[in-house]
Each structure stands twice: as C-alpha cells, then as structure tokens.
Amino acid sequence: MRMRRSLFAAMAFAPILALSSAHATTLRVGIQDDPDALDPATSGTYIGRFVFAAMCDKLVDIGPDLGIVPQLAETWTFADDQKSVVFTLRKGVAFQDGTPFDAAAVKFNIDRMLTMKDSRRKAELAAVAGVDVLGPDQVRLTLKEPFAPLLSVLSDRAGMMVSPAAGAKEDFAAKPVCVGPYKFVERKSRDLIRLQKDPGYWDAGRYGYDEIVYSYIPDSTVRLARVRAGDLDIAERIAPTDLKTVRDDKNLKLHSAPGLAVSHLMVKVGEPEKANSPLQKDARLRRAFELSIDRNVINKVAFNGEYTADNQMIPPSDPFYPKTHPAPARNVAAAKKLMAEAGATSVPVEITFENALTDARVAQIVQSMAKEAGFDVKLLPLETATAIQRYLAGNFEMYIGNWSGRADPDPTLYSFFACNGGQNVNKYCNKELEGVLNAARAEGDVAKRKQLYDKATGIYLADLPTIPIYHPNWFFAARANVDGVVVYPDGLLRLKGVKPAS
C-alpha cells in the first residue's frame, strides 16, 4: 500500500522515470523556496544547501552537536604552526559520472572555488595559499596564515566536491555532478527537482529511498496540508502557528531543532549610484528604525513565541555569542529624536521580501510599528526567484534576509561584514571591523576569539548595515511512515538513515 501511494502521487505531479527495482520508493519533500544555481561555487541560498545535502558530499560535515565529523576526508592533521593541513581521503570513492574521487579532484575543486569568476566561495577560502597533491588519497592545503574556521568552512559548500569532468563545463549548474547519495536527474523551474539514488555511492546502504523529489511550495500552510493529504512525505519550515495541527495529527510526526539561522533587515549602505535612500546615508536613521520595532512582539504575533527575538547575527546558543550587547527595547520617542537630529520627520523605506507567509507577516508588523515613528514603509513582495535575484544583485533599499547560519561564527560574520564577503550584497565596508574579523580568523585560542567577536559585534551594531530581528527554530512535518528523520541545527535534511517505516 505504501508503494502504491508513492507511485500514484509521483504520477500525479511529475512523470515517473524508470527505476531498477519493482519496489522503488520516492520521498516527496516540500520546500519553501526555489533554489538558485545548483553549483556549490556560485550558490547563495539556504534551500540550495538543503538540496545539496542529498547530492553533494563535502570533505567534512557537522554532527548534531555541531562538532566536525569525517565525510570524504577520513582524517586530517594540522601542522604545528597551523599554516597547513593534510587530509587523508576515503579510498574507492567515485563521482556520480564514474570519475574517481582523489586528491587531484580535491585540488581541482578548491582551485575552482578560488578562481571561478562568479564564485561565492572566494572570501570563505581566502586564507588558502595553495593545494598540493601528496598522493592519490592525500592532499595538503597550505594557508597564508592560521585560519581557525577552516574545517567549519569546508563543512559547507566550499568543501563540496564536484566532478572535474563536469565542473569544467559552462553548463555545470544545469547538470551538476558530485559525490553524493543521490544524483541529479531533472529540474523544472519553480516546480521540482528530481534526484535518483546512486548505487555506486560509497555509503549507499544507509539511504532508504530510491528517488527524492523536491517540490517548490512557497506557502507553509499549503505544504503542511499536502503532507496531511499524503501528497508529500516531508515539509520543511512549518510555521509556528501550525505546530498544534502537526502535534494533533496521529498520521504526522513533528521533527525540530534549535536553529543557527537569523532573519534580518538588510539595508543597502554602499553604491549610492544604485540606491540612494535616507537609511543608506545615515546610521542614525537606521538606529531610529531599529528603535521603532519591537522584536518580542514580532516573535509573539508572527511565531507564537516559538522563536528567539534578538539583535545579533549569531544566536544565543552559539558559544561565541557575546552577552554584552542586549537588544534595545522599543522606544518610539528615542527613534523620533534620532530622526530629528538627522533632519527628518518622515522617512520613506521600501522593504523587499520573498512573498512567503512568514516574511509577509514580519513585513506587515514592521510596517505598522515603524509608521508610529514616522517611517513611510512600502512593501515589495516578490516571487522567490525574482526576490533572490534582486538580493544577489544588491537591488533593494531594505531586504528581509534569511540566513541559515553556520556552526562557527566566521562564515556568518565574515560573509556579511567583510568588504568582499560572499553575502555582502548591501556593499557595507568597515575596515576596522574587517581587521577584527581577520584577527578572529587567525586566532586559535577560544577565549581570545570570543573577545574579538565581542568587539566585532559592537562595531556592526553601531553601524547597523543590517538589523537582526529573530532566530528561528527548525520545524519539519513528516508522515508517520517515514523513519529516521533527524534535524540538525543547520536546518538541512540529511537523508542518511531516512527510510520507509517497516
């Protein structure tokens, strides 16, 4: 019966590909966004990482406790001066096109990340001076200076390995080939992505489905309704307002984890020739805007209090979170005073956001609150792909950004606040802050790193190139007949151990 339901749903929403087994199973996953380019070098979205988790292995990964664990690299050894690291790779591993995975492939990938014109990994790997092949299964990364976050960086897209044969082609993003449990089959824009199990994968026995279909469904309530109806097996990012529905449905299971993510209001502060808004010119107006909103009310009204209201980019659960910068309480009078000091009584602001229920709720609440202080907020909801395109191009005045977070603070803070950071789409550049972040990258002592991140936090909270609002927790709804789902703090759906219930 389980197989019939899977095949019927697959035929209803997409054509079936011929599978080798008469008992083939399909896991149907509802996702909120349509991913950008399926190339680890150029991808810039959370949902891209979500799909990559099934398709592209990395040198290392994180565990449920955020510790670094082996993946394609079995072991690694740092030099005494911390300026190089040697990775010993798994033997007998092949890419999904049959190309052998070896040290030469690792060199190709790191070099590709560092040299591709549109690579978003250049800043993340900026500390890498060179890659040397020591043998078929050994590769050395030489660093310009000690780089404490290296393993954390390699546990994400910078450490994903793509086939050198496929990666050399211009159309790689349309036909991605990695080492991973599931290989790419097809993509229909704004509709679905289909992956098929790779029987040659080095750990294939731990993956319980023959096919994965990701369906783009932007409305979280619709995603949940389709899981309840049996049209989907799993839906990600269930709205807190729908959690009771999941808990009360005996046919569903709720899977959750505290998150590393942050939702924030990015302000275009650089490139005045492209955007010349009042908030761009004057940090006092950005501070006034922050004082006009109440993070706790946003959390209560939009999320039933299930999230964490906060003013920082990294969450309180992070061991590097500095407690010396508490979120300011809402103060409309103080906001108006700052506006007066800046010579303004009414300030126009346009907020661009992905037209999903969560961001729409937040935008409407922020609009209402900011109006009381004198901000004339216009809302610009856009279809996901269009919104992301404008985000990546820096084409906005204020943007509701949703960052999935990382196990180490560097990939978040450096990406957004270094002058050439991979997520610095609002073109913020403060050389003092960049110097502090560089010092934190080179510092191996945890206590000293904490001090540096405390200082960095004080700088970006004074400049406010972005206004953090809350840290979401991850909520997934799955059919009760799906076993083995474990949600990590990074919010990615890892499919190892996920299988149909017996």
Side-chain angles (χ1 to χ4, degrees):
M1 180 64 82
R2 172 66 183 88
M3 178 201 151
R4 287 181 182 177
R5 285 199 299 267
S6 294
L7 292 181
F8 177 81
M11 286 188 288
F13 294 102
I16 288 289
L17 294 178
L19 299 177
S20 59
S21 170
H23 301 285
T25 52
T26 298
L27 183 71
R28 301 156 301 169
V29 183
I31 55 177
Q32 178 171 298
D33 307 316
D34 192 23
D36 59 343
L38 291 179
D39 184 338
T42 60
S43 170
T45 62
Y46 156 74
I47 205 63
R49 298 173 65 224
F50 195 93
V51 174
F52 285 138
M55 194 169 63
C56 298
D57 278 5
K58 301 156 286 192
L59 289 175
V60 295
D61 199 4
I62 63 167
D65 62 354
L66 303 182
I68 300 296
V69 298
Q71 199 167 59
L72 291 176
E74 291 187 312
T75 62
W76 49 90
T77 304
F78 279 88
D80 291 341
D81 63 2
Q82 301 295 300
K83 289 187 177 183
S84 67
V85 56
V86 174
F87 291 96
T88 299
L89 310 176
R90 293 188 185 278
K91 298 180 178 68
V93 175
F95 290 97
Q96 292 150 350
D97 60 2
T99 304
F101 168 74
D102 55 16
V106 175
K107 176 175 172 56
F108 169 84
N109 273 272
I110 301 299
D111 288 345
R112 180 175 184 265
M113 297 278 187
L114 286 169
T115 59
M116 266 187 69
K117 179 182 177 182
D118 299 324
S119 172
R120 305 186 72 85
R121 312 280 83 86
K122 291 178 182 178
E124 298 169 17
L125 293 168
V128 176
V131 186
D132 298 304
V133 174
L134 304 182
D137 65 341
Q138 280 202 326
V139 61
R140 179 175 59 220
L141 271 62
T142 301
L143 308 177
K144 299 171 186 174
E145 57 190 1
F147 183 51
L150 178 65
L151 294 179
S152 180
V153 167
L154 294 175
S155 73
D156 192 40
R157 286 164 294 198
M160 291 179 185
M161 298 288 106
V162 308
S163 164
K169 298 178 181 178
E170 292 289 333
D171 64 345
F172 177 85
K175 300 175 183 178
V177 180
C178 300
V179 173
Y182 294 93
K183 56 186 177 181
F184 179 81
V185 175
E186 67 169 331
R187 177 176 188 172
K188 297 180 180 178
S189 180
R190 305 184 197 179
D191 185 4
L192 62 81
I193 293 172
R194 187 186 305 276
L195 309 180
Q196 191 172 351
K197 189 174 180 179
D198 180 8
Y201 178 63
W202 63 272
D203 201 17
R206 297 194 182 189
Y207 292 81
Y209 286 89
D210 299 288
E211 183 181 62
I212 314 296
V213 176
Y214 299 95
S215 294
Y216 166 50
I217 306 166
D219 189 300
S220 63
T221 300
V222 175
R223 287 197 302 279
L224 176 57
R226 288 186 58 175
V227 176
R228 297 187 74 194
D231 294 335
L232 295 174
D233 299 298
I234 298 178
E236 55 107 7
R237 280 183 280 183
I238 298 301
T241 49
D242 288 332
L243 294 182
K244 186 177 186 302
T245 299
V246 181
R247 290 169 176 144
D248 291 346
D249 191 329
K250 65 181 181 180
N251 295 314
L252 303 184
K253 292 180 182 178
L254 180 66
H255 303 276
S256 62
L260 301 171
V262 62
S263 184
H264 55 125
L265 299 170
M266 295 188 72
V267 181
K268 187 64 178 286
V269 294
E271 296 184 331
E273 69 281 1
K274 291 186 179 180
N276 196 18
S277 70
L279 265 69
Q280 180 183 34
K281 299 176 183 178
D282 199 324
R284 290 173 296 182
L285 295 179
R286 299 194 290 272
R287 173 70 62 197
F289 196 93
E290 179 188 34
L291 291 173
S292 75
I293 64 175
D294 190 321
R295 293 175 170 89
N296 291 314
V297 169
I298 293 171
N299 184 31
K300 183 177 180 180
V301 173
F303 309 116
N304 282 1
E306 295 276 0
Y307 290 169
T308 302
D310 189 46
N311 67 327
Q312 296 187 36
M313 290 294 287
I314 59 175
S317 58
D318 191 302
F320 288 96
Y321 179 87
K323 300 178 180 179
T324 52
H325 305 280
R330 188 186 190 217
N331 191 330
V332 174
K336 289 182 176 180
K337 182 179 179 182
L338 283 170
M339 292 171 67
E341 291 176 2
T345 55
S346 178
V347 176
V349 181
E350 181 181 75
I351 301 180
T352 303
F353 58 95
E354 298 172 37
N355 194 19
L357 181 60
T358 297
D359 287 351
R361 284 176 176 165
V362 171
Q364 291 162 7
I365 297 169
V366 168
Q367 180 187 45
S368 177
M369 288 179 169
K371 182 178 179 180
E372 294 181 30
F375 290 96
D376 179 19
V377 178
K378 299 291 190 296
L379 304 183
L380 182 60
L382 296 173
E383 181 274 329
T384 299
T386 303
I388 291 173
Q389 185 178 37
R390 291 188 64 157
Y391 166 80
L392 294 175
N395 184 15
F396 58 85
E397 289 184 12
M398 180 178 282
Y399 189 96
I400 299 181
N402 296 291
W403 175 250
S404 53
R406 301 294 185 271
D408 188 278
D410 179 83
T412 294
L413 299 183
Y414 201 89
S415 290
F416 283 97
F417 300 132
C419 296
N420 292 308
Q423 293 290 330
N424 190 350
V425 296
N426 56 342
K427 303 302 180 183
Y428 169 69
C429 186
N430 183 318
K431 290 296 186 181
E432 179 189 6
L433 175 55
E434 187 169 71
V436 174
L437 294 176
N438 281 329
R441 284 184 145 192
E443 182 54 69
D445 184 274
V446 172
K448 292 179 180 178
R449 280 192 87 200
K450 286 182 177 180
Q451 292 175 358
L452 289 166
Y453 285 127
D454 190 333
K455 183 176 181 179
T457 301
I459 296 172
Y460 78 73
L461 289 180
D463 287 351
L464 280 182
T466 192
I467 303 171
I469 310 173
Y470 64 88
H471 302 286
N473 295 319
W474 300 112
F475 299 108
F476 288 54
R479 300 290 297 176
N481 57 10
V482 178
D483 277 351
V485 177
V486 178
V487 182
Y488 286 21
D490 61 3
L492 305 184
L493 178 62
R494 288 166 171 81
L495 295 174
K496 182 184 289 187
V498 179
K499 60 185 180 180
S502 301

